[in-house]
Every structure is written in C-alpha cells, then in structure tokens.
Amino acid sequence: MSKKIIFSAIQPTGNLHIGNYLGAVKNWLELQKNEDYECIFCIADYHAMTGDKTAQDRRDQIILMAAELLALGIDPKKSTFFVQSHVPEHTELAWIFNTVTPIAELERMTQYKDKSQKQIKNINTGLLTYPTLMAADILLYHTDLVPVGEDQIQHVELTRDIGRWFNNKYAENYFGEVKPLLTEIPRVKSLLEPTKKMSKSYGLNHVLELADEPEVVLAKLKKAVTASEPGEKSPGVENLLLLLKNFGDETVYNKFVEAEKNGTIKYGELKATLAQIIGDYFADFRENRTQYLEDRSYLATVLADGEERASKIAKATMKEIRHLIGIR
Ligand code: TYM
C-alpha cells in the first residue's frame, strides 16, 4: 500500500505559540514517526507577505521558524522540510487555481474578513487569494491529510472544492479529496480574551510563546482572564484547564477540575502550577532553539535538502498540469 501524504505549513511570523503547537505542530511530530505517512512540512513565507513585515523581518523570521521547528523535533530525515518560496511551482499552481476559483468563494472566507478588518490600511489582493496559494501548497503534493488547527478548516475545505473545480474543467479525478486532521485541542483560546483564538495579532500578552522563559509564562498567566467567582463557568478557566490537561499529569488536572466543580478552586494556584509545568515542558526546546539559531549554515543545509526533495515532486506535478491545461 502506498503511504498517505501529509502536508502542512506555517507562516513565519515570529515565535511559535502554544496555539500553533497544540493545534498543529504537536500532530506533525506524531505523524512523522508513523511509517504509514509521508510527511511534508513547509514554512509559508509567501503567505506571510500578506502582512505588514519588512524584508529584514522576513529574512529573520524564516530562519527563526526553521530553528524553532527543528528544536521541537521536526526531523529532516523523516520529513521533507522546506521553504515555500524555494519551490516556485507553488505560486505557479496558485495562479492556475485563481482561474478556476470564483471570487465570491474567496470573499466568504472568515480569515479574509477578519484580516481585512485587522489591517485596514493594507487590504491587499494577496489577503483575498491566500486560499488559492494554500490549495496549491496542498495539491501540488497530491496530499491526503492536512494537520491544522480549527481556524484553517475552511481553507482546507475550499482546497477540496478547488481540486474539484479543476478536475471538472480539465481532468476527472486528477486531484483526490483532501481532509483536515485535527488534534484534541484544535482551538486554543487567547489568555486575555478567551472567546477569541490565541493569536499574536491581538498582542503578545494574549499568547504563551514556546520560547517564553518561565517567569514570562507566569507573568502572562497571572494576567489571564478567569471567572469573577471561583467555580463560575468561564471560557478563560476552561482554556487554562485544557492546557493543564495537555501539559500536566492526570492527578494534578483532576484535582483542579474537582476544585472547580465544588467552587474551592484558587486561580492563583492554578496559574502558578500551570506556569511551572509549561516552563518545564519547553525547557529542552528553549535550549535547542538557541543552538539551532547559532548554526545558520546547518539550517541552510537542511532547507536546501528539503527544497530538493519537494522540488522533485512539485516539478513532476506541474509538468502534468501544464499538459492538462493545454499550455504544453
Ligand atoms: P498559521 O501560520 O496561522 O498557523 C499555523 C498552524 O497553527 C494553527 N493555529 C492554532 N491551532 C489551535 N489554536 C490556535 N489558537 C491556533 N493558532 C494557530 C493553525 O490552524 C495552523 O495549523 N494558512 C496557514 C499556513 C498554510 C498552510 C498551508 C497550512 C499555508 N499553506 C497548507 C496547511 C496547508 C496559516 O496561516 O497558519
């Protein structure tokens, strides 16, 4: 049986946060260990261009993302790990997908609406056509499964539609049906506004970054929103308990859940416990990250090797597609 293809990507927009980790990257680390899957992971630098960063920010952040993912355990021997812009077939296929995708379908994307509101002075065309590039990323490798957080499900579903629209026009069954793959926590919430997803775009105190030193984790958690009365139902407390469930051991988790139920929970204690556990959990990561960041030539070698492997597949797919659409 041939292996199932796993593809996922992440924008290089600064340090990873625990939303990225629990919603997506943790799954990548599991999947790459499984012999049934062929994993391809990509740093989506062209997607990040829809934001407001400078060229220098971009240069630094691509390196940073590579270092952080390797520090977490992405293994370039097991997974193909590369930078999107190093394989120009991604943008080539995105253009072709633009020509089969109705504008109205792009306009209804929640992220397009959200981002257009957040960066009112920079509502560029890339914000709108972002999902056709994402569909190209995914379909270029004839992907079966896309491990992502909840906020990306809509884009993966649109990818499936784009594949179908292409198939209807040019070649029946050329692209298969892609599916999103979720973790147990597909949506980690913001610390300060727990009705929203955790995202750096609301501000750094909304997120716990994996690179945060323990005292920073504690300071951020101290500010995290809880309930006004112990035991009162609150999305903030629910979010903190979910984090505890994921990073802590079962006994500690059960103790706090019980205390929450009977109204004896002390939020200060919950936050201190959680800070300690998260600080410890990412201690090795912080050390590895520093080492990788000091070894730029190793990072460059890894990414060049990934580029070569990804290019082979991308070139073969594009050769077929150019033929199917009649330009060759
Ligand atoms: P990005 O860079 O915003 O996020 C990377 C991954 O982290 C997940 N994530 C979360 N999961 C749970 N809770 C949260 N608060 C949270 N915040 C982020 C995201 O769902 C994502 O899985 N467009 C994509 C990058 C991309 C891509 C692709 C993904 C480009 N091409 C092809 C899959 C396949 C993005 O901006 O993710």
Side-chain angles (χ1 to χ4, degrees), residues 9-11 19-20 23-24 47 130 134 137 148-149 151-152 186 188 198:
I10 187 160
Q11 292 194 54
N20 301 133
H47 275 104
Y130 177 113
M134 187 161 152
D137 297 340
V148 282
D151 61 327
Q152 294 299 328
V188 179
M198 180 176 281

Side-chain angles (χ1 to χ4, degrees), residues 2 27 50 68 72 86 107-108 112 115 117 125 127 139 143 147-148 154 183-184 204 211-212 214 236 261 308:
S2 64
N27 228 357
T50 57
E68 290 215 329
L72 273 177
H86 295 180
E107 281 170 340
R108 71 179 182 81
Y112 167 64
K115 288 194 177 166
Q117 265 178 8
T125 310
L127 276 185
L139 293 175
T143 299
V148 282
Q154 202 183 27
T183 61
E184 270 172 42
L204 284 183
D212 283 343
K261 272 195 200 132
E308 199 181 319

Side-chain angles (χ1 to χ4, degrees), residues 51-315:
D52 291 318
K53 298 288 190 280
T54 63
Q56 191 53 48
D57 292 338
R58 200 160 290 131
R59 224 165 266 132
D60 295 342
Q61 292 188 343
I62 293 167
I63 294 293
L64 177 66
M65 184 54 75
E68 290 215 329
L69 289 171
L70 292 173
L72 273 177
I74 291 295
D75 180 350
K77 290 198 195 76
K78 294 199 175 98
S79 303
T80 299
F81 177 48
F82 72 106
V83 179
Q84 185 185 40
S85 66
H86 295 180
V87 181
E89 285 77 8
H90 287 245
T91 39
E92 186 179 357
L93 184 55
W95 173 258
I96 295 166
F97 285 164
N98 279 340
T99 67
V100 298
T101 306
I103 292 178
E105 294 288 340
L106 296 173
E107 281 170 340
R108 71 179 182 81
M109 292 293 111
T110 311
Q111 281 222 344
Y112 167 64
K113 291 185 214 159
D114 285 355
K115 288 194 177 166
S116 312
Q117 265 178 8
K118 274 190 202 149
Q119 50 185 74
I120 268 179
K121 295 204 177 110
N122 182 16
I123 308 179
N124 56 78
T125 310
L127 276 185
L128 181 69
T129 58
Y130 177 113
T132 57
L133 178 57
M134 187 161 152
D137 297 340
I138 295 169
L139 293 175
L140 203 43
Y141 301 93
H142 292 281
T143 299
D144 298 292
L145 296 166
V146 187
V148 282
E150 192 183 80
D151 61 327
Q152 294 299 328
I153 294 179
Q154 202 183 27
H155 292 157
V156 178
E157 287 171 352
L158 184 64
T159 296
R160 200 157 59 207
D161 291 337
I162 291 175
R164 276 198 207 118
W165 295 325
F166 180 94
N167 289 353
N168 290 343
K169 195 158 178 182
Y170 296 110
E172 225 169 291
N173 299 326
Y174 182 69
F175 290 120
E177 300 264 308
V178 254
K179 290 198 187 100
L181 198 64
L182 300 181
T183 61
E184 270 172 42
I185 311 187
R187 186 180 173 87
V188 179
K189 311 278 175 45
S190 146
L191 298 179
L192 298 183
E193 289 179 73
T195 50
K196 297 180 176 160
K197 73 167 179 180
M198 180 176 281
S199 163
K200 281 198 296 277
S201 61
Y202 301 121
L204 284 183
N205 280 330
H206 286 249
V207 306
L208 292 175
E209 295 186 336
L210 311 192
D212 283 343
E213 292 296 333
E215 58 276 14
V216 177
V217 175
L218 181 61
K220 286 180 175 178
L221 281 173
K222 276 188 176 163
K223 293 192 197 114
V225 170
T226 50
S228 40
E229 295 274 326
E232 194 179 280
K233 204 160 171 36
S234 134
V237 177
E238 212 173 284
N239 196 37
L240 298 184
L241 286 173
L242 262 181
L243 297 183
L244 189 61
K245 183 176 180 194
N246 214 282
F247 293 112
D249 74 39
E250 220 178 314
T251 335
V252 180
Y253 170 69
N254 288 339
K255 188 187 107 185
F256 279 101
V257 169
E258 204 42 49
E260 208 235 344
K261 272 195 200 132
N262 60 33
T264 57
I265 189 165
K266 293 197 176 69
Y267 296 128
E269 202 184 305
L270 169 64
K271 290 172 171 185
T273 307
L274 192 55
Q276 169 87 48
I277 288 171
I278 292 180
D280 289 351
Y281 188 94
F282 290 111
D284 289 347
F285 162 80
R286 290 193 301 274
E287 216 179 293
N288 294 341
R289 173 185 187 271
T290 310
Q291 281 176 12
Y292 280 119
L293 280 172
E294 279 165 7
D295 197 349
R296 299 271 173 127
S297 71
Y298 174 72
L299 296 178
T301 313
V302 165
L303 295 175
D305 177 56
E307 170 189 339
E308 199 181 319
R309 281 152 64 185
S311 278
K312 262 192 204 129
I313 310 172
K315 280 197 164 79

